[in-house]
Amino acid sequence: MAKPTMTLNGKLVEFDPGQTILEVATQNGVEIPTLCWLKDATPTGACRICLVEVKGARTLVASCAMPAGPGMEVSTDTPQVHTSRRLNIELLLASGNHNCLVCEKNGTCKLQALAYQYGISDIRFKGQTQQYATEDSNPLIVRDFSRCILCGRCVQACNEIQVNRAIGYGYRGAASKIVTSGDQPYHLSDCVFCGQCVEACPVGALTEKKAVGQGRSYELKQVRTTCPYCGVGCQMLLHVKAGKIVKVTAAQGPSNKGRLCVKGRFGYDFVHSPERLTTPLIKENGQFREASWEEALGLVAKKFKEVKKEHGPGAIAGLSSARTTNEENYLFQKLFRVGLGTNNVDHCARL
Ligand code: FES
């Protein structure tokens, strides 16, 4: 069956029923700026940055929330669209403390990028903004509501992406803010510190505490890797400066789809721990001494043979780790079953 069509900037394009105007535009290479839209979450239409003109509509419409319709005539780049987006960006800039010089998100802030793109050098509106103290009473996340634009992406990330339901909108009017239950600080709330809200925040309202002051985005090298904590295989990006991990963000992977848990996102201190073992150790007379891999593995093989000869293979057991891959665990059980002749193989799936 033929797909329905609509006109996008004067060009006839096909779409699938249920797609939004934003999705149709994106798949046809037409860029529409967004702020509150979050992949895989219900559109909220909160920021009004993605406004487009639809012929016959009374007002401009939010393309992220408006379904495409057959015969629709959509224009994404008219003077009216431009003026409205510009006005909305100005209002967002006027509504809080957006001092980019000292903001941790300088260089990756979506509002900053839009202000630049739309040539906003002066803010015409001088409103009275709410004063908020920065919340950094937990070791992982800094919340600065004076930079919050109430786009709601953190709420969507918490409620729909991670389904933790720890935050939502609170209060009314100019006093509106994102709150936990009872407006408690994160560490006293239901928050599980997955940090998905930080990942979703397009401005400097939510930041990783350990990364503050550790490097601007242009100084950080991104290294894609697999989370080492459990067998799910979440894909992540290490942000590295001078060989040191500054922060971790989620990458799109088949098993995690852009999500991370508290361990994957924040539990990377062990990488640089001075207590981390970097060479095999052999215990002699109650004291550990450093050894080569050849010597250490040779000793283990010798001991296995002695135990097996003296007590039989049933006296040997192997305990593997959930932090290794499926393939490594397969080889591990093969070593014990086939190599050593014992079925005493187990693993620790607890971290
Ligand atoms: Fe569409 Fe915010 S991105 S209203």
Side-chain angles (χ1 to χ4, degrees), residues 22 32-38 43-51 61-65 151:
L22 177 66
I32 298 176
T34 62
L35 259 182
C36 69
W37 178 84
L38 183 66
T44 58
C47 75
R48 320 307 286 178
I49 297 297
C50 67
L51 293 174
V61 301
S63 61
C64 68
C151 66

Side-chain angles (χ1 to χ4, degrees), residues 59-187:
T59 60
L60 298 180
V61 301
S63 61
C64 68
M66 173 64 89
M72 227 178 209
E73 290 180 40
V74 177
S75 302
T76 67
D77 200 13
T78 66
Q80 197 190 353
V81 164
H82 200 271
T83 304
S84 297
R85 286 183 192 157
R86 208 171 184 284
L87 176 66
N88 289 340
I89 295 164
E90 269 189 272
L91 288 169
L92 289 174
L93 286 168
S95 70
N97 166 29
H98 298 292
N99 179 356
C100 303
L101 279 181
V102 292
C103 183
E104 195 56 34
K105 286 274 181 75
N106 188 353
T108 53
C109 172
K110 285 190 90 176
L111 184 60
Q112 183 191 48
L114 283 170
Y116 184 80
Q117 185 184 343
Y118 282 81
I120 299 168
S121 54
D122 190 32
I123 302 159
R124 289 172 289 165
F125 313 107
K126 301 277 177 276
Q128 200 179 357
T129 54
Q130 293 280 327
Q131 298 298 313
Y132 296 107
T134 302
E135 180 195 309
D136 64 351
S137 44
N138 69 78
L140 303 179
I141 297 172
V142 180
R143 297 207 290 172
D144 181 352
F145 292 113
S146 69
R147 298 185 189 281
C148 177
I149 56 170
L150 291 172
C151 66
R153 279 168 60 109
C154 55
V155 177
Q156 298 294 89
C158 183
N159 295 348
E160 293 195 9
I161 305 293
Q162 295 286 40
V163 201
N164 286 328
R165 301 201 174 102
I167 53 176
Y169 283 96
Y171 306 104
R172 290 288 180 273
S176 293
K177 84 190 250 256
I178 306 301
V179 293
T180 61
S181 175
D183 197 10
Q184 294 291 314
Y186 263 8
H187 70 289

Side-chain angles (χ1 to χ4, degrees), residues 300 304 307 312-322 324 328-338 340-350:
V300 172
F304 273 155
V307 172
I316 299 173
L319 186 68
S320 181
S321 166
T324 55
E328 287 163 338
N329 272 321
Y330 174 82
L331 292 172
F332 183 85
Q333 63 84 31
K334 200 80 170 170
L335 171 71
F336 276 77
R337 292 202 166 103
V338 179
L340 297 167
T342 177
N343 283 327
N344 297 334
V345 185
D346 204 349
H347 68 98
C348 169
R350 298 156 296 279

Side-chain angles (χ1 to χ4, degrees), residues 103-278:
C103 183
E104 195 56 34
K105 286 274 181 75
N106 188 353
T108 53
C109 172
K110 285 190 90 176
L111 184 60
Q112 183 191 48
L114 283 170
Y116 184 80
Q117 185 184 343
Y118 282 81
I120 299 168
S121 54
D122 190 32
I123 302 159
R124 289 172 289 165
F125 313 107
K126 301 277 177 276
Q128 200 179 357
T129 54
Q130 293 280 327
Q131 298 298 313
Y132 296 107
T134 302
E135 180 195 309
D136 64 351
S137 44
N138 69 78
L140 303 179
I141 297 172
V142 180
R143 297 207 290 172
D144 181 352
F145 292 113
S146 69
R147 298 185 189 281
C148 177
I149 56 170
L150 291 172
C151 66
R153 279 168 60 109
C154 55
V155 177
Q156 298 294 89
C158 183
N159 295 348
E160 293 195 9
I161 305 293
Q162 295 286 40
V163 201
N164 286 328
R165 301 201 174 102
I167 53 176
Y169 283 96
Y171 306 104
R172 290 288 180 273
S176 293
K177 84 190 250 256
I178 306 301
V179 293
T180 61
S181 175
D183 197 10
Q184 294 291 314
Y186 263 8
H187 70 289
L188 299 177
S189 75
D190 295 334
C191 173
V192 296
F193 288 97
C194 66
Q196 204 68 28
C197 56
V198 181
E199 179 112 24
C201 181
V203 292
L206 295 167
T207 46
E208 295 92 345
K209 193 169 183 178
K210 287 190 283 186
V212 173
Q214 296 304 303
R216 290 294 189 196
S217 57
Y218 57 83
E219 298 176 291
L220 306 178
K221 185 177 151 201
Q222 292 188 4
V223 181
R224 184 169 173 142
T225 188
T226 303
C227 179
Y229 271 104
C230 75
V232 173
C234 296
Q235 293 300 294
M236 60 189 350
L237 292 173
L238 308 179
H239 299 252
V240 180
K241 183 181 174 187
K244 189 165 183 283
I245 300 172
V246 168
K247 67 177 175 182
V248 171
T249 55
Q252 287 290 333
S255 59
N256 67 315
K257 297 188 166 44
R259 303 174 181 87
L260 283 179
C261 75
V262 60
K263 291 173 289 184
R265 192 183 303 279
F266 295 116
Y268 53 84
D269 306 47
F270 70 92
V271 176
H272 305 296
S273 170
E275 292 177 7
R276 189 171 169 186
L277 293 183
T278 54

Side-chain angles (χ1 to χ4, degrees), residues 8-9 11 21-22 24-33 76-77:
L8 182 66
N9 293 343
K11 190 177 146 204
I21 294 174
L22 177 66
V24 178
T26 305
Q27 84 183 17
N28 283 283
V30 174
E31 195 198 332
I32 298 176
T76 67
D77 200 13

